[in-house]
Amino acid sequence: MFKHSIVASAAPYCLALLAVLLGGVAAHTWRQAAHAQQDAPGVVPAGVIPVRVVRTAKGFELQRNGRPYFVKGAAGLQHYDQLRAAGANSVRLWSADYADDRLNEAQRQGLTVLLGLWMEHESKQFDYYDNKQVAQQKERIRQQVLRYRYHPALLAWDIGNEVDFSSDNPHLYMSINDIAEMIHQLDPFHPVTTTLDNSLPNVKHIKHLCPDLDFVSINSFGELPTLVDRLQERGWKGPYIVTEFGARGYWESPKRRWGAAAEQSSTEKANFTKERYIQAILGNPSVCMGSYVFYWGNKFEYTDTWYSLFSPNGEKTATVDIMQELWSNHKPTNLTPQIRELSFADYLLIKEQSLLPDTEYLAEVSASDPENDLLRFEWVLTEDRILKPATDITSSVYDTNIHNTGGGRAVVRTPAKPGAYRLTVSVFDGKGSVATANVPFFVQNAE
């Protein structure tokens, strides 16, 4: 599985690469310069920095330009300048759809890119027994590899994201290996991986049907501490990278009786992430070659704040502070506010009882700031999408139902319409940081 790890001395950077670093050359320059040397066998194309997986006396090691390269990265599309400033060295992209801009920005910031090559999950729309569909997908990926194989920011190729979760069809895994083999022929200077689901349902297929993969990658959250043991139990003894980790997943969080998942506060998420990083990523240096924290930016997934490490306006959360400390051994000069507790109608919600419609309840958050910065509290009441169809991405906001009384307190009037809701508080320090917490609740008429 490691036969394609290439020993190659790095060629000096070409003028095109230097120009990209200086930000003064169009994005296609590196591609044109590299193509001039692409047909010379054994020669590293201009600007390309070779990467390989090496087996050492201590285990496995990723090397870039002949030097050990432990991945200290984040998965996301935003704030690459802050990522580099925090001490990271890499970003993960899920597909090549936005690769031109993000690869160039990563290069400007001195970051590498694990570039995703999107594979369709097996479904009624895509059949891995359909040779025509498989061939079309392979050709699409081939064109993407040809386009980006000489980019100086490229670290490795990542075929698909959790396609193992959707199918145990051997033809799917044969297709993964066929693509990996093709990539090695087109680009012998960067390793190839595929990202697996945390449940590891089909590692046996990866092991036996995908010999051309250089390592595997896994998305893992709450169960991250047991990952190495679970991989080895399923027969995988080789190296891996954790391509997503962070807060406890909503699928593995405590559920309220109506099905809503309880979200950790941003303070709890930071502590949760730190514990798992030290234990499972730094703690397995012989096989774990690094990781990507999730999600570096702001996105909606289950809630607006579940995985977002930044607010919509760019304020950082506590996990960013924690990762900077872990990556660089230095804390930020200004730390994020800390939330100790959020209470809302506790005497009812502790017993998982419903709240009455159109009724006022008191909400209070206990928060502090390490530098004693003046804190501002922002409350938001929304419908909880847990009970809405997956295709419905709307969520009504009830701004007029909240009276912010100051000092971390608010009077909340529940909506008149029965259903699932979520109350969120954001605590801003005015210095570029935010803490968040929320509580799900259900409104129902008294029986």
Side-chain angles (χ1 to χ4, degrees):
M1 81 186 111
F2 310 110
K3 63 182 179 181
H4 292 290
S5 296
I6 304 295
V7 179
S9 60
Y13 288 177
C14 66
L15 291 176
L17 174 58
L18 291 174
V20 170
L21 287 169
L22 295 173
V25 175
H28 64 269
T29 303
W30 57 265
R31 197 177 296 121
Q32 291 176 332
H35 274 283
Q37 297 185 24
Q38 66 180 335
D39 295 324
V43 176
V44 180
V48 171
I49 302 177
V51 180
R52 62 186 184 129
V53 177
V54 177
R55 190 161 195 165
T56 70
K58 296 181 179 179
F60 297 95
E61 183 176 83
L62 195 66
Q63 292 185 358
R64 184 170 186 254
N65 206 11
R67 299 175 181 177
Y69 192 87
F70 186 77
V71 174
K72 298 185 288 185
L77 304 175
Q78 303 166 285
H79 308 300
Y80 286 5
D81 55 341
Q82 290 178 258
L83 182 60
R84 182 60 182 179
N89 59 14
S90 191
V91 297
R92 181 206 178 190
L93 301 180
W94 292 264
S95 82
D97 293 346
Y98 28 73
D100 281 289
D101 175 73
R102 294 297 82 193
L103 277 162
N104 292 334
E105 176 62 15
Q107 177 66 11
R108 281 191 290 270
Q109 299 299 335
L111 302 167
T112 63
V113 177
L114 175 63
L115 182 55
L117 301 168
W118 190 259
M119 280 189 76
E120 297 296 332
H121 288 232
E122 188 165 51
S123 64
K124 293 180 180 179
Q125 287 73 40
F126 197 96
D127 181 4
Y128 278 90
Y129 285 102
D130 187 325
N131 293 333
K132 182 178 179 180
Q133 285 187 318
V134 170
Q136 288 174 340
Q137 176 173 255
K138 181 181 178 181
E139 178 58 25
R140 170 177 57 80
I141 292 175
R142 179 178 177 274
Q143 293 302 319
Q144 292 170 349
V145 173
L146 289 173
R147 183 174 180 83
Y148 300 113
R149 59 181 172 169
Y150 297 134
H151 199 290
L154 181 64
L155 179 69
W157 304 98
D158 187 7
I159 306 171
N161 184 61
E162 299 185 0
V163 292
D164 61 316
F165 181 75
S166 61
S167 174
D168 65 354
N169 180 357
H171 285 262
L172 165 62
Y173 301 92
M174 292 165 64
S175 180
I176 291 174
N177 194 70
D178 189 37
I179 291 171
E181 185 178 27
M182 173 190 70
I183 293 173
H184 282 303
Q185 292 171 356
L186 297 174
D187 176 17
F189 304 107
H190 300 97
V192 183
T193 186
T194 188
T195 290
L196 310 178
D197 176 75
N198 171 70
S199 60
L200 306 174
N202 291 294
V203 173
K204 62 182 184 296
H205 289 326
I206 295 294
K207 179 182 177 183
H208 296 297
L209 299 177
C210 301
D212 286 278
L213 293 176
D214 295 290
F215 61 95
V216 297
S217 299
I218 305 95
N219 298 336
S220 187
F221 294 86
E223 294 185 305
L224 182 57
T226 66
L227 176 59
V228 65
D229 292 334
R230 290 185 288 115
L231 279 170
Q232 292 180 354
E233 287 169 1
R234 290 161 173 79
W236 183 263
K237 310 294 185 182
Y240 65 87
I241 284 177
V242 179
T243 35
E244 292 179 17
F245 76 100
R248 181 188 289 122
Y250 47 84
W251 60 91
E252 54 194 1
S253 296
K255 301 294 191 299
R256 300 300 183 235
R257 63 173 177 79
W258 56 93
E263 181 177 343
Q264 297 166 303
S265 70
S266 58
T267 303
E268 292 170 331
K269 292 173 186 176
N271 294 331
F272 186 88
T273 301
K274 179 180 181 179
E275 176 186 87
R276 278 153 178 75
Y277 186 84
I278 293 173
Q279 179 181 352
I281 295 171
L282 297 183
N284 294 295
S286 64
V287 286
C288 183
M289 302 189 300
S291 64
Y292 295 87
V293 68
F294 182 83
Y295 173 81
W296 198 266
N298 182 270
K299 73 187 294 285
F300 181 94
E301 186 166 342
Y302 198 88
T303 73
D304 290 318
T305 56
W306 201 290
Y307 292 116
S308 299
L309 299 185
F310 292 83
S311 74
N313 293 324
E315 290 92 354
K316 64 181 175 66
T317 65
T319 298
V320 175
D321 291 352
I322 286 294
M323 293 313 303
Q324 176 170 331
E325 184 178 354
L326 291 168
W327 287 330
S328 69
N329 294 319
H330 297 290
K331 294 182 179 181
T333 55
N334 185 273
L335 296 171
T336 301
Q338 304 291 299
I339 291 178
R340 291 186 293 275
E341 183 182 16
L342 169 60
S343 62
F344 176 59
D346 280 1
Y347 60 98
L348 293 173
L349 295 184
I350 287 175
K351 299 179 180 179
E352 296 209 356
Q353 295 183 20
S354 299
L355 304 188
L356 295 173
D358 199 25
T359 302
E360 290 186 343
Y361 296 92
L362 177 65
E364 183 173 5
V365 62
S366 176
S368 61
D369 186 80
E371 293 83 28
N372 295 315
D373 292 328
L374 182 65
L375 298 179
R376 177 175 63 86
F377 302 88
E378 183 177 293
W379 300 86
V380 178
L381 175 61
T382 61
E383 288 182 300
D384 202 337
R385 289 187 59 249
I386 180 62
L387 299 181
K388 302 184 101 179
T391 54
D392 186 353
I393 61 173
T394 62
S395 184
S396 298
V397 179
Y398 296 83
D399 288 336
T400 60
N401 289 57
I402 298 177
H403 175 53
N404 190 341
T405 59
R409 298 180 182 85
V411 176
V412 180
R413 179 174 290 277
T414 55
K417 177 185 175 182
Y421 298 88
R422 196 172 290 257
L423 177 67
T424 300
V425 62
S426 298
V427 185
F428 299 90
D429 69 353
K431 302 290 182 61
S433 299
V434 64
T436 64
N438 65 57
V439 57
F441 63 95
F442 198 86
V443 171
Q444 190 173 9
N445 290 305
E447 297 180 356

